[in-house]
Amino acid sequence: MAYDAGDTMISVEQALALLESRVQPLGLTEVVALPDALGRVLAEDVVSPLDVPAFANSAMDGYAFALAGLPADGRLRRVGRSAAGHPFDGVVGAGECIRILTGAMMPQGADCVAMQEDCSVDGDVVTVPTSLKPGANWRHAGEDVAHGATVLYTGSRLRPQEIGLAAAVGRTALRVYRPLRAAVFSTGDEINPPGSPLPPGGIYDSNRFTAGALLRALGIEVTDLGILADDRAAIIAALDKAALDHDVILTSGGVSVGDEDHVKAAVETLGALHFWRLAIKPGKPVALGEIKGRTFIGLPGNPVAVMVCFMLLARPLLLRLMGLRQCAPLMVPVRADFSFRRKPGRREWLRARVVNRDGQLWAEKFPVESSGVLSSMVWAEGLVAVPEDMGDVAPGALLDFVSFAEVLR
C-alpha cells in the first residue's frame, strides 16, 4: 500500500482511490448463528435451496375459485376452507369456491381469489365480483425467491431485512468476516481523562471517546489504550505493542508539524506513512500508514476534525478492511441558506442542518467554523461540502450534503 506523497496535500478522491486499489479485506471469517449476524459483513453468497413462497398461496382473506367456471351472476357454492398450515384437500370445480385465508395454500382448480369485503355470503352461497382476472389476489410459488437464486452476496452488511431473508430460505447460520480489532489512544501532555482534576492548561480527552464510539458503531472491537504523553520513545513503544494483536491502530493528535507532534515520526520509525496531508478543512493533518502490516490511522487533534476525517477517510478504509463492497455514503444536493467567505484550494466541510421548503432542500450552516467546537456536531445533522475550486458561497448555491445517518454507522 505504499504511496509517497511527501509533504504534498492530496485530495480526498486521491486518498480514496489509493484505498480502493490497495486495501483488501483481511479475509478472516467465522460462522455465526443468524441472530448474531446483525451488522456483520457477509463472507459468502447465499443461494436459496427452495422457492419462496414454497407453494401458491392467497394474498388476502377471501374466496378462491376457478374463473372459467364462474356463473354470470357470480354465485358460487362454498365447498370447503383453506387456512395457513391447513390446506383444502380437494379440487375446486366449476361453480364452486372455498373460504381461503391469507397465506393459505391455493387449492387445485382455483386461479382467482376474491377479497372477502367484495363478496356477499348467504349460507353456503357466496357471490363474488365477475370483473376479476386470472391470478387476482394470490402469489405464485417462487414469486419472492426462486430455487437456486442468489439472495445475498459476499460483502453485504447484514441488516434486519437480510437476516430475515436468510431465515426465509432456511439458513440458521452465516459465514461472516471476523470483526476488526482496533487500538485507540490519544496523545498530548495537556490531555486529561474525564473525571480527574484539570491542571492549569489542561483539557479533558474527548477524542478518544469519540473515536472509540465511531469504531464501535461499525461493529469493531476496541481496545482503549488511554492517553500517551508527548514522548517519542513512549509513543514508539505503544505503537509497537499495539501492532502485535490489533488490525488497526487509531490515534488522535501528533501528526502535524509541531515540536511535540511525535506520532508521525514514530510511525515512520516503525513502518511507513503513505500520506499525511489532505486538501480538506477541517482536518488537513490526517495520516494513513502501516506498522508491521497493521493499518495505522492518525486523526487530527481538534475534535470536529476527528469526526470529519473519520467519516470521510477512516470509515471507508475500515469498511473495506471489514469486507464491505459498498463504502461510499449517499450525497444529496442542497441549496445554501447562507453566505460564506472562503479561499479556494481545499474542500471545506461545513456543519449543517437541512430544511425542506416547498420540495427544495436548504442547508443552514452552524455559525462558527472552528474545528474545536464539538457542540456544533451535536447541533448539526450532517456536512455540506464546498468544492476545492469554489470561492465565496452565495445564498442559493448548489452544494452536496451528507447526513450523519449515512456516515455514523
Side-chain angles (χ1 to χ4, degrees):
M1 197 168 61
Y3 177 85
D4 184 11
D7 289 342
T8 301
M9 287 194 299
I10 66 173
S11 69
V12 172
E13 283 76 16
Q14 288 175 305
L16 293 178
L18 171 66
L19 301 181
E20 180 78 21
S21 64
R22 308 291 176 85
V23 176
Q24 299 298 324
L26 294 186
L28 301 175
T29 67
E30 59 185 356
V31 176
V32 300
L34 215 52
D36 299 322
L38 183 65
R40 304 289 292 275
V41 178
L42 191 61
E44 62 170 333
D45 289 350
V46 175
V47 177
S48 178
L50 71 165
D51 286 332
V52 180
F55 50 85
N57 65 91
S58 178
M60 55 195 59
D61 295 341
Y63 297 88
F65 60 95
L67 192 62
L70 179 65
D73 60 5
R75 289 167 62 84
L76 299 169
R77 183 170 59 91
R78 183 173 55 192
V79 296
R81 183 177 185 270
S82 182
H86 302 279
F88 174 70
D89 185 16
V91 178
V92 177
E96 295 178 341
C97 71
I98 66 162
R99 172 67 166 151
I100 195 166
L101 303 181
T102 303
M105 181 182 290
M106 287 288 289
Q108 292 185 53
D111 63 0
C112 195
V113 174
M115 293 188 292
Q116 64 180 24
E117 53 265 42
D118 294 335
C119 302
S120 62
V121 180
D122 183 9
D124 285 336
V125 176
V126 181
T127 303
V128 303
T130 58
S131 58
L132 295 174
K133 296 180 179 179
N137 302 320
W138 61 280
R139 298 174 288 232
H140 293 270
E143 185 174 295
D144 186 1
V145 175
H147 176 273
T150 301
V151 294
L152 299 174
Y153 291 88
T154 300
S156 303
R157 189 82 173 269
L158 295 169
R159 303 168 297 173
Q161 50 266 54
E162 280 82 17
I163 300 296
L165 186 55
V169 300
R171 296 295 294 267
T172 61
L174 293 170
R175 180 167 293 280
V176 296
Y177 288 106
R178 173 182 65 74
L180 296 183
R181 299 181 299 233
V184 180
F185 61 82
S186 296
T187 64
D189 290 342
E190 78 282 12
I191 305 298
N192 294 266
S196 64
L198 276 180
I203 61 173
Y204 286 129
D205 182 8
S206 65
N207 289 347
R208 182 164 47 96
F209 293 89
T210 301
L214 289 165
L215 290 165
R216 292 185 184 96
L218 295 179
I220 296 172
E221 298 174 356
V222 177
T223 303
D224 187 338
L225 298 183
I227 303 167
L228 297 184
D230 288 323
D231 179 276
R232 184 171 300 184
I235 292 173
I236 289 174
L239 290 172
D240 191 37
K241 184 177 179 180
L244 295 176
D245 53 4
H246 293 90
D247 307 305
V248 176
I249 304 167
L250 187 145
T251 68
S252 67
V255 292
S256 191
V257 292
D259 293 343
E260 300 297 337
D261 288 327
H262 300 300
V263 174
K264 176 174 176 288
V267 174
E268 292 174 324
T269 298
L270 294 169
L273 271 180
H274 306 309
F275 60 78
W276 70 281
R277 284 159 55 91
L278 286 185
I280 64 172
K281 183 178 180 180
K284 179 173 68 175
V286 55
L288 175 67
E290 186 177 306
I291 300 173
K292 296 184 175 180
R294 311 299 188 179
T295 298
F296 169 77
I297 302 170
L299 299 177
N302 284 318
V304 173
V306 165
M307 294 196 71
V308 171
C309 291
F310 185 96
M311 291 185 286
L312 299 179
L313 184 69
R315 178 180 177 272
L317 165 60
L318 294 166
L319 292 178
R320 286 191 65 80
L321 288 173
M322 291 165 61
L324 200 70
R325 290 184 298 118
Q326 298 293 332
C327 303
L330 176 68
M331 307 284 285
V332 297
V334 297
R335 295 285 179 184
D337 196 23
F338 57 86
S339 57
F340 179 58
R341 295 183 62 83
R342 69 183 300 271
K343 289 174 56 178
R346 286 195 283 168
R347 182 170 305 179
E348 194 153 359
W349 297 86
L350 306 176
R351 287 139 274 178
R353 288 176 174 174
V354 171
V355 295
N356 189 327
R357 295 179 188 150
D358 300 323
Q360 174 67 58
L361 297 179
W362 292 83
E364 301 174 344
K365 183 181 73 68
F366 190 75
V368 179
E369 281 78 52
S370 170
S371 59
V373 183
L374 186 55
S375 60
S376 65
M377 298 296 277
V378 176
W379 173 91
E381 297 170 339
L383 301 172
V384 165
V386 183
E388 291 89 341
D389 57 356
M390 179 179 281
D392 294 346
V393 178
L398 191 62
L399 303 170
D400 283 333
F401 174 81
V402 58
S403 168
F404 286 155
E406 280 285 310
V407 290
L408 294 183
R409 58 181 177 86

